[in-house]
Amino acid sequence: MTQIQTVDGIPLEIINVGQLNNDAGPDFFNAKVKIGETIWAGNIEIHLSASDWYRHHHEKDKRYDSIILHVVGKSDMRIFRSNGEMIPQMEIELNKSVKEKYELLSQSNEWIRCGTLWGQIEPNFFSFQLTRMVCERIHRKSRDIIKLLIENKNDWSETFYHILLKSFGMHTNALPFELLAKSLPLKVLAKHKNNLIELEALLFGQAGLLENKEKDEYETNLCKQYEYLRKKFQLVPIDGTLWRYSKMRPSNFPHIKIAQFAALIQTSEHLFSKIRENINSVKNIQSLFMCETSTYWEYHYKFGKESPHKGKHIDEKTINTLIINAVIPIIYIYGEKHEDELLQEKCLKILEQIPSEQNNIIYKWKEIGQASLNAYQSQALLELKTQYCDLNKCLCCSICHHLMNDKKRGMSI
């Protein structure tokens, strides 16, 4: 414990600094401090100047009502919670050189504030930071997985089914796919895994996509099957208007993704267990996702609208995306829960075997000289950009600290 005082001269003890928050919201969670004779538990926020509180509009954000201490480099004003209560402040003396360097970073208009210095980072140091970013990204995703696991009464297979189906929606249709999984338990699908028509009827019906007025023979058959199964299992479909098609390739239409998922359910058994057993090789995992849709979908992208023949199997790029966003996070957390560090290490090695993701963020990294060679690196760079650079969390970034604290390095931004 360090004995200090607030800007009002009241004795202050930092009992526990809490946990660093890498997401939006207060900088440190679950801290504990003693101010005068009173012990406070809550969150801590850090700014260069106290006035940054209002410049960042924290007074309008309920998340910041839990702040018990505001740590600043310059106490240029008092700050208050949304109910008018004054928040205790502690002023710390900043190293002049570090402060000047940070202010230069703050004024930068680069895509990332330290962009002009990026080439000065030592490879070994950066490699270590990539590992840190990958692990942070997985753990950030794990919060949703653990929440789902609790909801599913520690059923790992059911939880994996939810995560996997949501990943089939990619970014555009993640929500309706997530709702579809919640509306249709895996155990219901498992009862019909040997009948592809019944699997499609359940999935398309629950997706709210069997509501066309004019139906062809195939869709009519699915409707009949679904009506029987809906009553049998007392199912309630989701709102079919949630699905999005705008600016999307036909091969990524919800109908195709659902047909692919139905085929995956039919051809796979104990998928979660088999993935754990095959985590040594990305090729082995990819083989578990290879399946063909029913013949109808080789000639259609939607119900009733015939198109030229094209196989609708799950391609390798899509499989890799599923591995990155669904397989690796849940297997990694499974290893953590079961104290299996080797399983966790295998997950990271799988990411190294997958080609780098290609999106606007990764392209921009390449422009400043940081090419991504594999999914391990692309995941790390995505985490760094979205959870640090975009949120202006330079003070929480080890790379920024490294650049500011190296006395041999100039700051010519």
Side-chain angles (χ1 to χ4, degrees):
M1 294 187 297
T2 304
Q3 298 222 355
I4 38 183
Q5 64 181 17
T6 68
V7 294
D8 296 312
I10 302 174
L12 169 65
E13 292 182 6
I14 307 296
I15 300 173
N16 188 334
V17 298
Q19 181 180 2
L20 177 65
N21 172 32
N22 291 319
D23 293 327
D27 293 319
F28 289 86
F29 285 144
N30 302 321
K32 185 179 289 187
V33 302
K34 183 177 181 181
I35 302 176
E37 298 301 318
T38 304
I39 294 179
W40 298 85
N43 303 326
I44 293 177
E45 180 70 4
I46 301 175
H47 286 120
L48 278 179
S49 300
S51 54
D52 289 339
W53 178 272
Y54 292 101
R55 188 165 63 87
H56 297 164
H57 305 296
H58 293 334
E59 81 281 4
K60 300 177 182 179
D61 192 333
K62 292 292 184 180
R63 291 177 298 181
Y64 290 85
D65 281 348
S66 60
I67 297 299
I68 56 174
L69 182 64
H70 191 213
V71 180
V72 298
K74 180 182 179 181
S75 180
D76 57 349
M77 68 184 306
R78 301 301 174 91
I79 56 111
F80 301 85
R81 298 186 180 90
S82 62
N83 63 2
E85 294 178 351
M86 187 172 71
I87 299 175
Q89 287 192 146
M90 164 191 168
E91 188 178 56
I92 59 175
E93 185 177 353
L94 297 177
N95 177 282
K96 184 178 179 181
S97 175
V98 172
K99 183 178 179 181
E100 289 176 351
K101 291 174 182 178
Y102 180 75
E103 287 176 345
L104 285 172
L105 284 176
S106 300
Q107 296 166 11
S108 171
N109 292 321
E110 296 288 324
W111 182 66
I112 56 172
R113 295 187 184 278
C114 58
T116 56
L117 301 171
W118 196 256
Q120 300 178 24
I121 302 172
E122 292 80 359
N124 288 340
F125 173 81
F126 186 66
S127 178
F128 176 78
Q129 295 307 315
L130 285 181
T131 299
R132 176 184 169 184
M133 289 296 114
V134 168
C135 292
E136 283 190 12
R137 188 168 183 82
I138 293 174
H139 278 97
R140 186 168 57 80
K141 291 180 178 180
S142 74
R143 291 197 287 270
D144 289 336
I145 296 174
I146 293 172
K147 181 180 177 182
L148 265 177
L149 188 62
I150 293 172
E151 292 176 1
N152 294 326
K153 299 179 180 179
N154 289 319
D155 186 330
W156 285 95
S157 293
E158 181 74 24
T159 301
F160 177 58
Y161 158 66
H162 281 244
I163 298 298
L164 182 61
L165 190 51
K166 180 179 179 180
S167 296
F168 260 76
M170 299 182 286
H171 177 73
T172 305
N173 282 308
L175 175 59
F177 267 111
E178 181 180 9
L179 295 175
L180 174 57
K182 290 182 177 180
S183 75
L184 183 60
L186 178 60
K187 63 182 180 181
V188 173
L189 288 175
K191 293 178 185 294
H192 300 271
K193 74 175 303 297
N194 295 321
N195 190 316
L196 184 55
I197 289 295
E198 291 179 357
L199 288 174
E200 289 186 341
L202 282 165
L203 287 163
F204 281 113
Q206 283 302 103
L209 295 175
L210 295 177
E211 298 180 353
N212 295 320
K213 293 182 179 180
E214 296 183 5
K215 298 179 175 62
D216 58 21
E217 182 180 352
Y218 180 78
E219 187 179 3
T220 299
N221 186 23
L222 288 183
C223 288
K224 291 179 180 178
Q225 295 283 350
Y226 175 66
E227 189 60 25
Y228 167 76
L229 294 170
R230 182 186 65 80
K231 292 178 180 178
K232 178 181 178 181
F233 296 109
Q234 298 181 325
L235 300 173
V236 178
I238 70 171
D239 183 357
T241 64
L242 292 172
W243 300 102
R244 296 291 178 261
Y245 301 84
S246 178
K247 298 180 181 179
M248 184 181 296
R249 293 179 180 177
S251 59
N252 289 326
F253 280 179
H255 294 75
I256 301 303
K257 294 298 180 181
I258 290 174
Q260 289 172 342
F261 192 79
L264 179 63
I265 292 294
Q266 186 197 33
T267 57
S268 64
E269 189 170 3
H270 305 299
L271 183 59
F272 183 66
S273 297
K274 287 182 178 178
I275 288 174
R276 296 203 315 270
E277 295 168 2
N278 288 275
I279 201 68
N280 293 308
S281 166
V282 70
K283 293 297 183 184
N284 290 344
I285 299 176
Q286 288 171 339
S287 67
L288 297 174
F289 287 87
M290 293 179 181
C291 57
E292 297 283 348
T293 63
S294 58
T295 305
Y296 179 87
W297 294 107
E298 295 179 4
Y299 296 90
H300 296 79
Y301 289 101
K302 286 185 175 182
F303 287 117
K305 296 181 180 180
E306 194 165 340
S307 61
H309 178 268
K310 183 180 180 180
K312 304 299 194 314
H313 64 278
I314 308 178
D315 60 38
E316 185 174 314
K317 183 179 179 181
T318 299
I319 293 175
N320 287 341
T321 299
L322 295 174
I323 293 174
I324 293 169
N325 294 321
V327 171
I328 295 304
I330 194 168
I331 298 296
Y332 188 93
I333 297 306
Y334 180 90
E336 183 176 275
K337 290 291 184 181
H338 291 81
E339 299 182 350
D340 189 342
E341 292 184 5
L342 180 59
L343 186 62
Q344 292 178 289
E345 291 176 7
K346 288 179 179 178
C347 287
L348 298 182
K349 289 187 179 299
I350 288 295
L351 287 176
E352 292 177 343
Q353 298 175 36
I354 299 175
S356 171
E357 296 153 279
Q358 300 298 323
N359 53 49
N360 290 335
I361 293 178
I362 299 304
Y363 292 146
K364 291 290 289 185
W365 276 116
K366 186 176 181 179
E367 287 180 7
I368 68 169
Q370 189 57 59
S372 176
L373 302 178
N374 51 48
Y376 181 96
Q377 294 184 357
S378 61
Q379 282 286 287
L381 292 173
L382 287 170
E383 186 70 5
L384 179 61
K385 182 65 170 69
T386 60
Q387 302 303 312
Y388 286 88
C389 304
D390 288 351
L391 300 178
N392 294 324
K393 285 187 172 287
C394 301
L395 293 177
C396 299
C397 177
S398 297
I399 294 175
C400 182
H401 290 182
H402 180 71
L403 291 170
M404 288 196 297
N405 291 333
D406 189 343
K407 296 180 181 179
K408 298 179 182 180
R409 186 177 287 114
M411 296 289 287
S412 55
I413 296 179

